[in-house]
Amino acid sequence: LKYSVNGEVVLKDELKGNVDFNDQAGVFTLNDGVNLNTTNTTFDNASNATLKFDGDSIITGILGGDTAGKSTFDTIEAGKTGKTVNFTNNVFANNLEIVENGAVNLAGNFKGDNINYQNDGVLNLSDRKEINSNITTTDGKGTLNLLGSSTINGTIGTQADKLKEINSQNSGTTNLNNNVFANNLNIGAGTLNLNGNFTGDNLNYLANGVVNLANNKVVDSNIRTTADNQGVLNTIKNAEFRQQIGEETKKLKEINTAKNDSTTTFNDNVYSSNLNLLESGSVNLNGNFQGNIVDFKDDAKLNIANNKNIDARIVVGDEDIGEINIAGSTIISGDIADSLNKIRA
């Protein structure tokens, strides 16, 4: 089958053979229920072409990649409402469009320029797989489910158009390696490495998971937990948190910060059972802190803004370490150090 113009071919049953798009902007459409095996069906010169799935389909084998018989499409369209397209292996395309409210399952890696939600569809990425492209949406739509130890190497969403939600509700490790914009970012019992900034409404701990925020990154959202004393937040070095962390009745389990030569800034109230100042860095509390313990494990500096208070005990892990700087009027409701381990200043 060879295209001579920019037309559309609609496939009503599986095809065995070669499709040559001849560099045309042709469209190759698979009807609902038609599957594709890329060993039996090969594609050439598809760099301007579009592959459309009009319903449920299973794609077996690698799709695209510009090896023999596997020319990379400009655009793949999938995700019709109520339908599911299953890609069982790696997918290469300039653009993957999730066109309606259906589901797209990626059981292999995806490499391209962009994945775009045109509507409120769902993208499921399997365990130990990667997406190497940006992900975009409009009007706060689209759900991204990370089903295991997954990695996303592109930007997710934009400041103006955030994803509806990202779910990393598993016991694996998720790496988000660029900036993320989503209304809700949900973490389960696993580990989430935020290697870019996060902007949204809420970062939610749905179980006792761990979030690691990379050096010089910012979280501009509320951080919440569904149960008291649940969730661990670690800063790798410099960090900024612009909105409230925890709630009075649902505190985080612990926050670990103040690494050497670092500054961590909390610009709103913080509710955490434990605030651990691990090394000799600085922590700026520009909101109130409420919890059980502020623990100086090394010679850190704690800077408290004017009219902000601490409702917790302050403990010191060794003699003559730690410094508290108070900018103005402050109430510290708990004990400060003890007779054996006094705070330095």
Side-chain angles (χ1 to χ4, degrees), residues 60-78:
T60 304
I62 296 172
L63 181 59
D66 289 329
T67 59
K70 290 181 170 57
S71 181
T72 297
F73 282 88
D74 178 63
T75 302
I76 296 173
E77 296 183 3

Side-chain angles (χ1 to χ4, degrees), residues 47 49-51 72-78 91-98 110-116 118 133-134 136:
S47 61
T50 298
L51 176 63
T72 297
F73 282 88
D74 178 63
T75 302
I76 296 173
E77 296 183 3
V91 178
F92 301 81
N94 292 339
N95 302 285
L96 173 58
E97 297 284 337
I98 304 173
F110 176 80
K111 185 175 182 180
D113 295 330
N114 198 55
I115 297 175
N116 181 55
Q118 294 183 12
S133 78
N134 295 323
T136 57

Side-chain angles (χ1 to χ4, degrees), residues 295-311:
D295 190 349
F296 284 84
K297 295 182 179 296
D298 205 336
D299 197 24
K301 292 181 180 180
L302 179 62
N303 305 311
I304 307 171
N306 185 32
N307 291 320
K308 302 305 175 183
N309 304 316
I310 292 180
D311 185 3

Side-chain angles (χ1 to χ4, degrees), residues 67-276:
T67 59
K70 290 181 170 57
S71 181
T72 297
F73 282 88
D74 178 63
T75 302
I76 296 173
E77 296 183 3
K80 289 282 191 174
T81 298
K83 302 297 181 179
T84 300
V85 174
N86 293 294
F87 295 95
T88 65
N89 211 316
N90 296 339
V91 178
F92 301 81
N94 292 339
N95 302 285
L96 173 58
E97 297 284 337
I98 304 173
V99 294
E100 294 179 1
N101 298 335
V104 174
N105 297 329
L106 286 176
N109 302 314
F110 176 80
K111 185 175 182 180
D113 295 330
N114 198 55
I115 297 175
N116 181 55
Y117 292 87
Q118 294 183 12
N119 216 306
D120 201 22
V122 176
L123 177 63
N124 299 308
L125 181 64
S126 291
D127 184 26
R128 301 181 184 180
K129 302 304 175 184
E130 295 187 359
I131 291 176
N132 292 290
S133 78
N134 295 323
I135 300 175
T136 57
T137 188
T138 54
D139 300 326
K141 296 177 179 178
T143 298
L144 174 61
N145 294 320
L146 306 174
L147 304 180
S149 295
S150 307
T151 298
I152 313 294
N153 288 318
T155 299
I156 302 175
T158 64
Q159 179 73 49
D161 289 306
K162 301 175 182 67
L163 261 67
K164 182 171 76 174
E165 66 181 30
I166 302 170
N167 296 303
S168 180
Q169 299 178 39
N170 55 74
S171 58
T173 298
T174 296
N175 299 295
L176 303 181
N177 288 334
N178 213 314
N179 294 337
V180 177
F181 301 86
N183 292 335
N184 289 283
L185 173 56
N186 301 318
I187 171 73
T191 299
L192 172 62
N193 294 322
L194 275 177
N195 295 322
N197 302 314
F198 173 66
T199 303
D201 295 333
N202 298 293
L203 191 161
N204 299 303
Y205 288 89
L206 305 183
N208 197 34
V210 177
V211 174
N212 298 314
L213 183 63
N215 185 30
N216 291 322
K217 302 306 176 186
V218 175
V219 173
D220 190 359
S221 79
N222 291 309
I223 299 178
R224 301 183 183 277
T225 183
T226 56
D228 195 35
N229 198 39
Q230 174 180 271
V232 175
L233 176 61
N234 299 319
T235 65
I236 302 305
K237 199 170 181 182
N238 298 302
E240 181 182 356
F241 300 92
R242 293 181 176 171
Q243 299 186 41
Q244 182 171 306
I245 299 176
E247 301 171 85
E248 186 172 357
T249 58
K250 293 179 181 178
K251 300 177 182 67
L252 266 65
K253 179 180 179 181
E254 65 183 54
I255 300 172
N256 298 298
T257 189
K259 302 299 283 289
N260 288 333
D261 301 315
S262 74
T263 299
T264 299
T265 300
F266 299 99
N267 284 324
D268 208 324
N269 295 338
V270 178
Y271 300 86
S272 177
S273 296
N274 295 283
L275 175 58
N276 298 318

Side-chain angles (χ1 to χ4, degrees), residues 12 29 41 68 130-131 192 235 246 314 331 335:
K12 297 184 177 180
T29 300
T41 307
E130 295 187 359
I131 291 176
L192 172 62
T235 65
I314 298 177
I331 298 172
D335 295 337

